[in-house]
Amino acid sequence: MALAPDPRRSYAVLIGTSTFASAGLADLPAVAGNLTGLAGVLTDPALGALPPGRCIVLADPASAGTADRTLRECAARAEDTLLIYWAGHGGPGPAGELFLSVADTGTGEPPAGGALAISRLRDALLHSPAAHRILILDCCLSGRGGQVSAYVLVSASPSPFHFSPPGTMYTALTGTLIGIMRNGMPDGPEFLSFAAIYGQLLYVLASRGLSLPRQFGTGAAGQLALTRNPAYHGGQGPDVPASAAPRPPRRAARWRRLLTATAVVAALGLSVTLTNVSQRQARPAQKAGLSPAPAAAVDQMALSFPVSFTVDVSPAAVMDAATRQLAISRVIRRIDQQLAARRLWGRRAGLVQVFASGAITEIGPANKAAHLVLGALLRRDPIFAKAAGQSFWTGTGDYFLFQIYFLT
């Protein structure tokens, strides 16, 4: 049975940074949408959630200290359930610890860069008197925040990989979470527990070709629920014979289970790939005269927060031998233009990740297009001459996405 929070003794703290003072950190407009949308769901009286005064929204905190104080004040007041949500840029700090960016975070090595260490969130959760604790992280490297005495939902693996489609109202994880909580699950329970939501998250994100979340602290923690299921029909509860309740076609159910299982396997494989620069990529790179840094070297590098660029060049143009050279040259030229515009030209990159979009049926060609662009970038652009490189397929679309980690 799902455990519903006591609204009068619970708190939700929603923190997100969408604009940054540093030119080295790309703004994240979708984060502002995340905060508005998630707060709207959590405080909707029809869903039986929290009073507005118990859902604290801190948008674009000016400093790590401001965010830390808000977290600790609310954590100390929560007695039944405490939810902490954080969205924005995440990056590696000393000893590989996850640091969370705020409005004044620079691109220098944390903590000098002004970011908030994940250990501060852990400490707030640990010392809270709340009986139930939930942490949701929607940022790069969010998988490094899993060692917490709480139910934890993260948007990405411990490796530097996270992606949301450009131009969307929400980030991938949070937008899907809001959609599930707002629209409900027709075959789900009366209250939407995290155990129920997580399976639906996997299915929806996998079907869209987006990066998959991870959860920690399952068991009783997975039965925590924040809202009612708006699609729940009491007449189809446990007292109704199974034969009386409508069921999805068996074939559709099988395909759904297969897609979810495939997505989980793919996520595990992707985590391994991201942890180490894959041998599959390294071998062709060496034949082409490339020298990407080994995985061990990447782990030991002091890397900045990721700088993200979207380049509207079709991966299909890279795959076509007749247009390949022109398309790759256009990609590199636009990358250099965006680096110059953000005053990052001349800095040395430690890691560059290239993502090529494409339909789920075109994963192989998209992977190859990303690899071709990566190889050309490492060979021809001096900024990336000593960088490690990784190439991946991402969701549907017709563009390339770049995430660049500079040496601090």
Side-chain angles (χ1 to χ4, degrees):
M1 176 181 290
L3 304 173
D6 181 347
R8 298 166 300 178
R9 302 171 58 240
S10 301
Y11 269 95
V13 187
L14 314 182
I15 303 177
T17 308
S18 59
T19 59
F20 300 87
S22 172
L25 290 175
D27 288 343
L28 301 171
V31 169
N34 287 358
L35 297 178
T36 302
L38 192 55
V41 171
L42 291 175
T43 59
D44 188 340
L47 300 177
L50 301 172
R54 294 275 174 166
C55 182
I56 310 303
V57 178
L58 183 58
D60 296 321
S63 67
T66 300
D68 191 33
R69 283 191 297 274
T70 301
L71 284 170
R72 290 178 178 279
E73 289 172 4
C74 294
R77 295 173 188 165
E79 300 173 271
D80 182 77
T81 299
L82 171 64
L83 165 66
I84 295 178
Y85 168 89
W86 191 294
H89 284 301
E97 183 178 12
L98 172 63
F99 275 72
L100 305 165
S101 59
V102 293
D104 70 347
T105 298
T107 55
E109 182 179 358
L116 183 69
I118 188 64
S119 58
R120 303 297 292 175
L121 272 73
R122 289 195 186 108
D123 194 53
L125 285 163
L126 180 63
H127 291 91
S128 172
H132 311 296
R133 304 159 192 170
I134 304 163
L135 175 63
I136 302 176
L137 297 175
D138 195 350
C139 62
C140 293
L141 295 168
S142 55
R144 298 189 183 188
Q147 303 303 316
V148 181
S149 56
Y151 174 86
V152 183
L153 177 66
V154 301
S155 59
S157 72
S159 301
F161 169 75
H162 178 52
F163 172 70
S164 290
T168 54
M169 182 179 295
Y170 309 113
T171 59
L173 173 69
T174 303
T176 306
L177 178 62
I178 291 171
I180 294 170
M181 296 171 71
R182 175 67 69 188
N183 300 318
M185 297 169 56
D187 300 321
E190 182 178 2
F191 288 90
L192 291 177
S193 68
F194 279 96
I197 288 174
Y198 184 69
Q200 187 74 359
L201 279 172
L202 284 178
Y203 171 71
V204 174
L205 292 171
S207 66
R208 296 175 182 173
L210 297 171
S211 57
L212 301 179
R214 301 178 67 186
Q215 67 174 353
F216 307 89
T218 54
Q223 297 307 312
L224 291 173
L226 293 179
T227 60
R228 291 191 178 95
N229 180 2
Y232 175 75
H233 301 289
Q236 295 177 10
D239 296 332
V240 177
S243 58
R247 296 182 179 180
R250 290 184 179 180
R251 181 173 297 179
R254 281 200 302 270
W255 276 109
R256 177 168 172 154
R257 289 194 298 269
L258 177 60
L259 178 57
T260 303
T262 303
V264 173
V265 173
L268 292 173
L270 184 58
S271 298
V272 173
T273 303
L274 286 167
T275 304
N276 302 289
V277 179
S278 69
Q279 295 299 318
R280 182 180 60 80
Q281 295 169 356
R283 284 194 296 268
Q286 291 167 358
K287 291 179 182 178
L290 308 180
S291 55
V298 176
D299 292 338
Q300 295 170 3
M301 288 178 180
L303 300 177
S304 70
F305 283 89
V307 179
S308 300
F309 302 106
T310 302
V311 176
D312 293 324
V313 172
S314 174
V318 173
M319 289 304 300
D320 188 337
T323 58
R324 178 174 302 157
Q325 293 305 317
L326 179 62
I328 289 177
S329 296
R330 188 177 301 161
V331 169
I332 294 177
R333 183 167 64 252
R334 291 184 183 176
I335 285 291
D336 289 342
Q337 289 171 349
Q338 294 192 57
L339 287 173
R342 299 190 191 186
R343 299 180 181 178
L344 295 171
W345 180 257
R347 293 191 61 182
R348 193 158 68 93
L351 173 65
V352 56
Q353 297 173 319
V354 182
F355 303 86
S357 63
I360 197 168
T361 55
E362 299 293 326
I363 295 178
N367 268 330
K368 187 173 181 181
H371 183 69
L372 289 169
V373 169
L374 173 65
L377 197 64
L378 297 180
R379 284 194 306 269
R380 293 161 53 177
D381 198 317
I383 290 178
F384 305 102
K386 302 295 184 180
Q390 299 172 327
S391 57
F392 310 99
W393 166 80
T394 186
T396 56
D398 201 32
Y399 52 84
F400 287 93
L401 176 78
F402 294 82
Q403 288 203 142
I404 302 169
Y405 295 75
F406 290 96
L407 297 176
T408 56

